[in-house]
Structures are given as C-alpha cells and as structure tokens.
C-alpha cells in the first residue's frame, strides 16, 4: 500500500493594530496537518514588505527567503508575493501555530485622514486556506469608512481566541481568495486637560485702621501632574509664613528673575483628593499709623494663580468696627442675611392657595462652605490671622478678584440718621393742621416710600430709611393721639340741653243748671 501524503489545512488569523504613528500586522497561522507529518511548507508574503516581516518562532529551524518553486503555485496576484520556504525543527502532525509580525511607520496627522490596507500572508500549498481579520485602533482614531472584498463581516464575539481582545472595531472572515480590505481613519485631537485645578479658594483678610492688610490664602488643589503651583502676589505684598502643602511645610521660593511664589506640589499621588495649600502674606499700609478718614474706600487685591483654574471662592474680610461699610464693588457677591417679609411669608405661604410656580424657590440661594482644615493641622500653621471686627463675607463661582469696600464713619452715619429723622419730624409737625389728604400723602411718601427704599439701599444705608420711617410713625402716632384727645375733650365739654316741663292743665268749671 502506498502511504498518503500530508494534507495541510491552515487558518490565517490577521490582527491589524492601527496606532497614531504606526500600523502593526500580526499573522497567526493555525495549521492542521492530517494523514502524514510534515516538516516544511511554503509561505507567500507581500513582496513590498518581505524584508521587514519578522518570523521568530521556536518551532522554526530555518527560512529560505530565496525559494523558487519548480511549479508556480496557484495564487491570485502571484507576481506581488515573495515565496519563503519554512523548515521546522521536526515533523509535525495535527494542530500547531506559527506567528509573523510587521511594524510599519504610518503616521496620521491630527485633523487629517489616512488609509490602511490589509496585508495578507498565504500558504499556497495548503489543501484549504481560510482566515479571520480583526482591526484594532488607537482611542484618538476614528474609522470613517471601510471597503471589503470577499470578506464577510462578523460579530467580534465570533473571532477565535487568538484575536479576542478589548477594542476590536471590525471583524471579518473569509473562505476563498483573493481578499481585500481598505480602512479610512481620521485622527482626532485630544482636548487639553488641566494639570491641576483649585476646587476652593478660601481667603481671610484682616484690615487694620491704617489700611494695612494681612491675608491667609488657603487653596484646595486637586493635582494631576503639575510640578509647581505658581502664585502671583499683589504688588508690594510679602510672605510672612511658611507654605504648608497638606501637612508638609515648605520654605517659600521663587524663580530666578521673577517675584512669583512657587509652591512644590507632591507627585505620584495615588488619590485625586484635593489637598490644602496655605500661606500668609501682608500688605503694608501706604500711610502707617494714619487712621481711616470720615469716608472713602479700601481696595483689597487677592493673589492670582498662573495656568490653574479656580472653581469657587470665599473671601472673608474683617474690618475696623468704628466705620460703616456702605458698598462693595467687584465681581464677588456680598452675603447678607435675609430681611423683610421672608420670615412671615414662609409661615403663611403654605396656608395661601395660589396658581403657578412656587416663588420661594426663585429666591433660594445655597452656598457651600469650603472644606474645613482639621484642628490638629491648623495648630501646625503657627501664624494665624486675627478674626475680629466687622465681618464681610463675599463669594463667587470663579477665581478671587479685587474687592472695593466703601466706608463711612459711624459718627457721619449717626449725623445723617439724625438729620433725616429731624427733617421728617419737622415736616410732619408742619402738617399738623393741614387737611387729611396732605397727611395721607406724607404717610405714603415718608413711611411707605422709606419702607420700599430699604430693598434698594445697602445694609449701611438702611438706617437712614429707618430713621425716616421712625419719624413718620412718631408723627402719625401723635396725630392719632391728638385726634382721640380732641374727641374726648369735645365730648366732656358738651353742655346738656335744659328739660322743659309742661305746666299742668287748668280744669274747666261747669256752671250749675237751675
């Protein structure tokens, strides 16, 4: 009996991995040798890249890259392929695999498209050749279009284990030759991610009577890979404390030729939690020892951060007590307690039926406080900014900004309050004998008008409107008391009318009849 020759079946598993700068082809040849063992076979590789293909496998003994077959194999487009004879270290029967790979530079520029063509390896002498193709790409690449010939698109879960991996976007299989696949890809640009972000900027400033300022700056920094936090202090400011990064003190430092403060941030952090960065600086007084005048303004300039965004700011300012602070300028919002009808309305609102939306929701304002520093950490800071005097709290969604505070001496405020009170009182007394229409106009303008003005004036100027309201109320009370007294007096002085008694009737006499 004559022995049967080897019958070689092969499935070519091709993985195309497209990166931004290169394309990698990996071919896994899954052989199945039947009937008789074989120790050699012929490969057909694309001639244009034959010199760059790597075939390094422990099963391979040698590769003859100059192989010439006496009988040309049957292969479509044979002229574009080079034939290799692969000799194994020993005869093989049954299933085994060999791997080849090719790394080819193929950069795709940002904002432009590129085309990747499938490069295929064949086994011309095989009894049967089939295959599967999987395409993997980088995250920044987008597949715009794919054109396939003699390839059947399949679900990625149908791929063999050698091709199964996360990120497979295209999967095909084929049963006959030739095969062709062309994929058009575009490279998208990644948006720049901040290296660090400040979730909260918490500033505390104490202002002296001669305008000298001491400020504690506390930044909660969430760092990705920033080396230094660059802080630009206001002009003329100087650091008066160590810089604390979480629990580690640092000596202040700056770049050569620059006054910017450099804060070294920790690297290699395994968490993304915000860490506190704290330091204290002071601004000297332009006129040391000279107190604030009768009126004027105070400018408070905060530090700024270079190339780092700030999500939310809270700036607390402690001011001298001997002055009233009439106005605040700048992008920060002044936080004041709710006055007026708010408390009364919250009580009666559930009792009053009404159509439409709930108006109370339109006035609701919620500000979250920055994270608090643990007490044991604050004791490490050493220098503390004094917290005494008149407190103004300002907030903003965004970085700190310059604040302008208008002030007026309390004596000046008392003078204006007295002046408006006396003026309103004298006007009311002047209308003492005027008709009721004039008095009602006085109450409307002076009383109700002043009450309406309290919603437009700042907290420091509301006392003027309240003084007018007090004078109008006092005059109205006097008018009311005088009216009641007049009514009572007139009632007491009224004389009773005399009672007229009618005389008794005179009896008539009847003459005697004889």
């Amino acid at each position: 009996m004559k022995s049967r020759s080897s019958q070689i079946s092969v499935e070519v598993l091709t993985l195309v991995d497209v990166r931004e700068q290169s394309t990698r082809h990996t071919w896994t040849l899954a052989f199945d040798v039947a009937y008789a063992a074989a120790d050699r076979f012929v490969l057909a590789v694309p001639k244009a890249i034959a010199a760059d293909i790597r075939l390094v496998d422990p099963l391979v003994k040698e590769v003859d890259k100059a192989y010439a077959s006496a009988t040309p194999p049957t292969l479509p487009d044979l002229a574009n392929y080079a034939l290799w004879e692969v000799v194994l270290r020993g005869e093989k029967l049954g299933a085994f695999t060999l791997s080849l790979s090719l790394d080819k530079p193929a950069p795709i520029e940002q904002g432009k498209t590129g085309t990747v063509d499938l490069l295929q390896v064949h086994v011309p002498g095989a009894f049967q050749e089939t295959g599967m193709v999987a395409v993997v790409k980088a995250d920044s690449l987008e597949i715009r279009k794919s054109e396939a010939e003699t390839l059947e698109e399949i679900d990625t879960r149908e791929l063999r284990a050698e091709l199964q991996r996360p990120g497979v976007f295209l999967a095909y299989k084929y049963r006959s030759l030739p095969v062709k696949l062309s994929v058009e890809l575009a490279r998208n640009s990644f948006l720049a991610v901040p290296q660090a972000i400040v979730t909260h900027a918490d500033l505390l400033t104490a202002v002296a009577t001669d305008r000298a300022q001491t400020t504690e700056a506390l930044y909660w920094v969430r760092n990705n890979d920033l080396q230094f936090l660059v802080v630009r202090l206001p002009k003329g400011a100087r650091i008066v404390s160590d810089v604390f990064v979480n629990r580690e003190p640092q000596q202040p430092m700056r770049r050569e030729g620059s006054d910017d403060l450099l804060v070294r941030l920790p690297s290699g952090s395994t968490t993304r939690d915000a860490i506190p960065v704290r330091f204290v600086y002071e601004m000297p007084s332009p006129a040391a020892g000279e107190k604030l005048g009768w009126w004027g303004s105070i400018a408070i300039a905060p530090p700024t951060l270079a190339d780092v965004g700030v999500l939310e700011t809270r700036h607390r300012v402690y001011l001298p007590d001997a002055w009233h602070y009439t106005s605040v300028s700048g992008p920060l919002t002044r936080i004041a307690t709710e006055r007026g009808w708010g408390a009364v309305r919250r009580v009666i609102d559930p009792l009053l039926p009404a159509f439409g939306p709930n108006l109370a929701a339109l006035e609701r304002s919620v500000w979250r406080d920055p994270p608090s520093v643990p007490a044991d950490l604050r004791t490490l800071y050493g220098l503390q900014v004094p917290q005494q005097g008149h407190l103004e709290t300002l907030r903003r969604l965004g970085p700190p900004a310059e604040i302008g505070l208008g002030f007026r001496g309390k004596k000046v405020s008392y003078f204006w309050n007295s002046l408006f009170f006396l003026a309103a009182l004298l006007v009311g007394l002047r209308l003492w004998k005027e008709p009721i229409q004039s008095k009602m106009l006085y109450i409307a303008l002076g009383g109700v008008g002043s009450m309406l003005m309290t919603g437009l004036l700042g907290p420091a100027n509301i006392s003027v409107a309240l003084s007018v309201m007090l004078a109008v109320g006092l005059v109205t009370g006097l008018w009311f008391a005088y009216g009641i007294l007049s009514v009572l007096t007139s009632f007491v002085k009224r004389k009773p009318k005399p009672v007229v008694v009618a005389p008794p009737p005179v009896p008539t006499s009847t003459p005697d009849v004889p």
Side-chain angles (χ1 to χ4, degrees), residues 207-212 285 287 289-293 298 319-323:
V207 181
T209 56
D210 61 354
R211 299 175 184 263
S285 170
E290 183 177 331
K291 288 188 176 182
L292 298 174
I298 301 172
L319 300 157
D321 264 338
W323 287 264

Side-chain angles (χ1 to χ4, degrees), residues 20 33 46 68 83 113 131 149 164 167 226 231 237 249 253 258 271 303 344 405 487 501 508:
E20 296 173 350
V33 180
L83 300 180
T113 60
E149 295 181 7
Q164 288 282 358
L226 189 66
V231 183
M253 59 181 175
S258 172
T271 64
V344 177
L405 291 165
V487 171
V501 180
T508 58

Side-chain angles (χ1 to χ4, degrees), residues 48-62:
I49 48 104
D52 300 322
I53 295 179
R54 295 185 59 196
L55 174 55
V56 180
D57 197 288
L59 297 179
V60 176
K61 179 180 179 181
E62 60 180 352

Side-chain angles (χ1 to χ4, degrees), residues 375-395:
D376 61 330
L377 176 57
R378 185 162 286 279
T379 57
L380 300 176
Y381 290 161
L383 178 63
Q384 302 289 339
V385 175
Q387 301 183 28
Q388 56 189 14
H390 174 78
L391 173 62
E392 290 284 352
T393 301
L394 302 103
R395 295 178 181 269

Side-chain angles (χ1 to χ4, degrees), residues 204 213-218 233 237-244 252 261 277-283 378 381-386:
L204 176 63
Q213 302 171 16
T214 304
T215 300
E216 175 192 69
L218 180 62
L233 297 177
R238 63 186 184 91
I239 290 288
V240 293
S241 74
D242 287 336
V243 179
F244 271 82
L261 173 66
V277 174
R278 187 259 190 192
F279 57 88
V280 178
Y281 68 91
E282 67 176 10
M283 287 282 293
R378 185 162 286 279
Y381 290 161
L383 178 63
Q384 302 289 339
V385 175

Side-chain angles (χ1 to χ4, degrees), residues 338-484:
E338 185 179 3
R339 302 182 73 253
W341 300 101
V344 177
R345 188 176 59 204
R346 281 194 294 270
V347 175
I348 66 175
D349 186 65
L351 305 177
L352 298 178
F355 296 100
N358 184 4
L359 296 181
L362 301 178
E363 301 180 0
R364 188 177 298 125
S365 177
V366 177
W367 289 94
R368 293 184 178 179
D369 289 335
S372 58
V373 177
D376 61 330
L377 176 57
R378 185 162 286 279
T379 57
L380 300 176
Y381 290 161
L383 178 63
Q384 302 289 339
V385 175
Q387 301 183 28
Q388 56 189 14
H390 174 78
L391 173 62
E392 290 284 352
T393 301
L394 302 103
R395 295 178 181 269
R396 181 192 184 189
L397 292 178
E402 184 172 350
I403 302 170
L405 291 165
F407 66 87
R408 182 176 63 221
K410 286 187 176 181
K411 294 181 179 180
V412 177
S413 295
Y414 298 152
F415 169 77
W416 286 113
N417 293 346
S418 302
L419 180 63
F420 276 87
F421 175 81
L422 291 175
L425 185 63
L426 292 176
V427 171
L429 295 177
R430 176 68 178 79
L431 299 175
W432 190 270
K433 294 183 179 182
E434 295 296 324
I436 188 66
Q437 293 83 357
S438 299
K439 294 179 178 181
M440 293 301 297
L441 181 62
Y442 169 78
I443 294 174
L445 294 178
V448 179
S450 297
M451 182 179 65
L452 296 177
M453 288 297 295
T454 58
L456 302 177
L457 299 175
N461 295 320
I462 289 178
S463 59
V464 176
L466 294 178
S467 300
V468 175
M469 292 171 60
L470 179 61
V472 173
L474 180 60
V475 171
T476 304
L478 292 175
W479 286 345
F480 185 73
Y482 178 75
I484 294 177

